[in-house]
Amino acid sequence: MQHEETTGESIEKFEFQSEAKQVLELMIHSVYSNPDIFLRELISNASDALDKLRIEGLRDDGLSGLAKDGRITVTVDRESRTITVRDNGIGMSRDELVSYLGTIAKSGTKEFIRAVQEAATSGNADLIGQFGIGFYSSFIVADRVTVLTKRAGGDEAWMWDSSGDGTYTVSPCERDGCGTDVVLHVKERADDGDGETDGTKDYLSGWTVREIIKRYSDFVSYPIYVDDTGKEKKEGAKPEPVNSMKALWVRQESEVTEDEYRDFYRHVTHDWDDPMERIVYRAEGTTEFHALLYIPSRPPLDLFYREGRHGIQLYIRRVFIMNDCRDLIPEYLRFVKGVVDSEDLSLNVSRELLQQDRRTAMIKSGVTRKVLDVLRRMKDDRPDDFKKFWALFGVVLKEGIVSDQKNREPLMKLCLFEASDGQSVSLDEYVSSMKPGQKGIFYLSGGTLETLSASPKLEAFRKRGVPVLLLCDPVDELWVPAAGSFAGSDFVSISSEDVEIPGGDDIQDDESAKEAHESGIAAKLKEAVSNLGGSAANIEDVRLSSRLVDSPATFVQKGEPVSLHMKLLFKSMGQELPSDKRVLEINPSHPLVRKIAQKADEIGSDGLKEWAALLVGLASVADGEPVEDSKEFTKTLSSLLERA
Ligand code: ADP
């Protein structure tokens, strides 16, 4: 936002912040599958403004009187082609007006704009709903928007005005009482000549507006009135609110329709899709609360932002208290959206007090248990749905294994893993089908699913028909050491040097193993590797392998891997990370290794060094790592090929 010039006496002209400008352009130029959302968004804002006034009124006696008679009025005026959404909520000061309606402060805005631009070229405009573009959605139906507002507790009123062309003006005005009027100057509808319009709705009709409000905003907890200026009013008739104002979450589940639940979901999340799952919960006992929670059908764009919005709204006895209530749900369930309504917290609770309140922890643990229980049932009864859920949110859920020891077991039971045999398995399934004598749950981690499933380390396990879990999410590096075991079986990394392969070590044919052993090739290569330099310096040993079948060489971990704790410690000190100690295992039955063993004495130490470099390079590539010096590596490779 930038202050450009002063036109006239007291009209200031501003430029929109560049991201706001981009969102505006999207509103004006894209075609929306559902333009009705503008009204839902404006009513949501009005309802939020009334909530805020109520919260301020709880703390500031001067404002408490103002907060009493909260209402929203939508006036439709066909004559002047305007729709006005009026509230008597908190209002905005001049500075707030400039900062709230001239910028977008949300995390993920850049990503959102890029995603929508991409979607727009492919004709998919539904992404819009995911972000909750709020106020700017006015420009879907209006070509000019005027806002008149007066901050509660202040005495100046301000007018904001824009035609969505990149600039807006702000000037003083008059307004009775605090609150905000948003005036939409509705676009002309295109007429294709045969008397029919372009298929868009006639928003300048009281009937249309009432329908939209009933459909999308019925549960808003303030009365919404529609004033149709063109319509004659009955003498003395008392205006009736259009919405029922019923809190869905306290109603019996059987009395609420699917549509009502879905519309409420859209109200709280601004998501245009249907939710994947709905959770209606009533807790009784030491602490009483109602919860109406949803699992979205796609992750929000800010799922991995620290500052990303959390999805829980706190109500206390039907009164809205706060959005984004992080104390009521653990971090690893941050994708869950909805409402928690407590019967026994005190109405003037602040975020700080909430954190200290024992009942908060009880609600949190109740909500957590309920969500995990719903997920468990989904997994048991609707495995296909659960797989979809897992693909979207599994990564986030796994964080809980580290952070929520109390629910570690149920969380681990929910996990699904890709195994080396191409199946997707749970830990229960894995453990119950372990081979006799199998000591532990085998896993391979660090890399993509592709590199892991192509790893030479799997060869012996595949040959023996023993599946290995392929863990390719960074969070796996955290929870595996934290959990250590599942149902009495330890997690065992198959990259460690001393892993016991079930069914014995006789993977290679005896004859070649004996030959290789006698040739002393491992010791000779160890000598050669020690002359290589670079990262080969952390190769502690070269050994004959009993785990390789088709590949010539692989790296295994010597001793314990450098722990994450250590890695973080080094990082915090700004030091180079200590690298893991490794052993190069070579396959005695592989023709390449056998050849090297036969020729070792003949080619001498320089020749052997080249072959050692080749084996090290091959082992790296098979682990999905780049070779250290690709130029040097190709040189060695071509020189070896030339002579072969
Ligand atoms: P969001 O509502 O998602 O924050 P909007 O673009 O809809 O985004 O609105 C931006 C901000 O403008 C709001 O957060 C609020 O502070 C302010 N605002 C919008 N409408 C009103 C209103 N009717 N009364 C008071 N403030 C409002």
Side-chain angles (χ1 to χ4, degrees), residues 41-42 45-46 48-49 52 87 90-92 100-101 106 132-136 149 180 182 270 309:
E41 299 288 316
L42 294 181
N45 280 350
D48 288 351
K52 283 182 197 157
D87 67 67
I90 192 79
M92 284 174 271
Y100 296 155
L101 301 190
K106 270 172 230 163
I133 20 64
F135 173 75
Y136 293 106
T149 186
T180 303
V182 178
H270 297 246
R309 275 199 204 187

Side-chain angles (χ1 to χ4, degrees), residues 163-435:
S163 303
D165 53 0
T167 63
Y168 60 94
T169 58
V170 172
S171 54
C173 70
E174 292 298 320
R175 191 187 189 282
D176 286 341
C178 66
T180 303
D181 290 11
V182 178
V183 186
L184 309 183
H185 303 266
V186 177
K187 286 182 202 169
E188 295 279 346
R189 290 195 296 167
D191 188 329
D192 58 17
D194 57 1
E196 296 282 309
T197 43
D198 55 2
T200 58
K201 274 190 203 159
D202 176 11
Y203 289 110
L204 290 167
S205 133
W207 187 86
T208 309
V209 165
R210 270 190 201 93
E211 284 305 298
I212 300 176
I213 294 171
K214 261 187 251 159
R215 170 112 175 74
Y216 299 116
S217 310
D218 189 59
F219 37 75
V220 167
S221 54
Y222 302 94
I224 307 171
Y225 300 95
V226 173
D227 187 0
D228 197 348
T229 53
K231 279 266 166 13
E232 275 189 32
K233 284 163 196 88
K234 274 198 212 118
E235 200 64 35
K238 201 169 155 266
E240 292 287 331
V242 177
N243 57 329
S244 74
M245 293 178 270
K246 279 192 205 144
L248 286 196
W249 54 92
V250 293
R251 288 164 59 190
Q252 289 290 335
E253 206 170 352
S254 57
E255 286 167 12
V256 182
T257 66
E258 286 300 319
D259 278 351
E260 285 177 297
Y261 276 128
R262 201 175 308 137
D263 292 335
F264 182 69
Y265 169 72
R266 289 169 179 173
H267 176 71
V268 280
T269 60
H270 297 246
D271 183 354
W272 202 239
D273 273 352
D274 292 345
M276 178 184 292
E277 193 73 13
R278 175 179 81 233
I279 303 169
V280 182
Y281 180 42
R282 172 172 197 168
E284 286 168 328
T286 19
T287 181
E288 277 186 37
F289 65 90
H290 290 87
L292 170 53
L293 306 171
Y294 298 89
I295 298 173
S297 52
R298 63 183 161 192
L301 293 163
D302 58 7
L303 188 61
F304 292 103
Y305 281 90
R306 222 167 222 288
E307 297 307 320
R309 275 199 204 187
H310 282 221
I312 305 294
Q313 296 184 333
L314 172 64
Y315 279 70
I316 296 177
R317 292 181 294 283
R318 259 58 75 211
V319 176
F320 171 82
I321 303 295
M322 64 180 83
N323 269 318
D324 192 13
C325 197
R326 288 163 193 249
D327 298 309
L328 295 180
I329 198 142
E331 189 75 19
Y332 67 88
L333 293 178
R334 58 184 175 273
F335 52 85
V336 175
K337 311 280 173 188
V339 166
V340 169
D341 187 351
S342 159
E343 293 296 327
D344 34 39
L345 285 170
S346 139
L347 265 181
N348 53 11
V349 73
S350 63
R351 281 192 198 267
E352 292 69 38
L353 285 176
L354 195 62
Q355 258 169 14
Q356 293 155 14
D357 200 307
R358 216 169 40 86
R359 285 165 298 191
T360 310
M362 286 162 73
I363 297 177
K364 182 175 176 176
S365 105
V367 166
T368 307
R369 239 179 305 121
K370 179 69 187 178
V371 174
L372 295 185
D373 196 49
V374 165
L375 289 173
R376 181 185 55 77
R377 261 182 292 146
M378 187 183 190
K379 179 164 179 278
D380 291 347
D381 305 341
R382 290 148 46 213
D384 288 341
D385 288 346
F386 184 78
K387 272 188 191 145
K388 278 185 213 146
F389 162 81
W390 185 259
L392 297 175
F393 300 110
V395 185
V396 183
L397 213 62
K398 282 192 282 190
E399 293 172 12
I401 305 175
V402 185
S403 58
D404 185 358
Q405 300 211 10
K406 225 169 78 198
N407 288 303
R408 180 167 283 173
E409 167 99 4
L411 276 165
M412 288 174 85
K413 280 175 177 283
L414 287 174
C415 291
L416 291 180
F417 301 100
E418 298 301 318
S420 52
D421 54 5
Q423 305 288 325
S424 142
V425 288
S426 67
L427 289 173
D428 277 325
E429 286 163 346
Y430 186 94
V431 169
S432 67
S433 64
M434 284 193 332
K435 295 271 182 276

Side-chain angles (χ1 to χ4, degrees), residues 590-638:
H590 195 277
L592 180 64
V593 175
R594 293 173 66 180
K595 192 86 166 190
I596 302 172
Q598 284 159 16
K599 300 262 182 182
D601 294 331
E602 188 183 312
I603 57 180
S605 67
D606 281 348
L608 211 52
K609 199 172 143 188
E610 280 184 318
W611 287 108
L614 179 73
L615 290 173
V616 167
L618 290 176
S620 300
V621 172
D623 275 343
E625 293 169 16
V627 284
E628 199 179 18
D629 182 343
S630 56
K631 208 164 151 200
E632 189 61 32
F633 183 71
T634 9
K635 213 169 99 193
T636 309
L637 192 60
S638 37

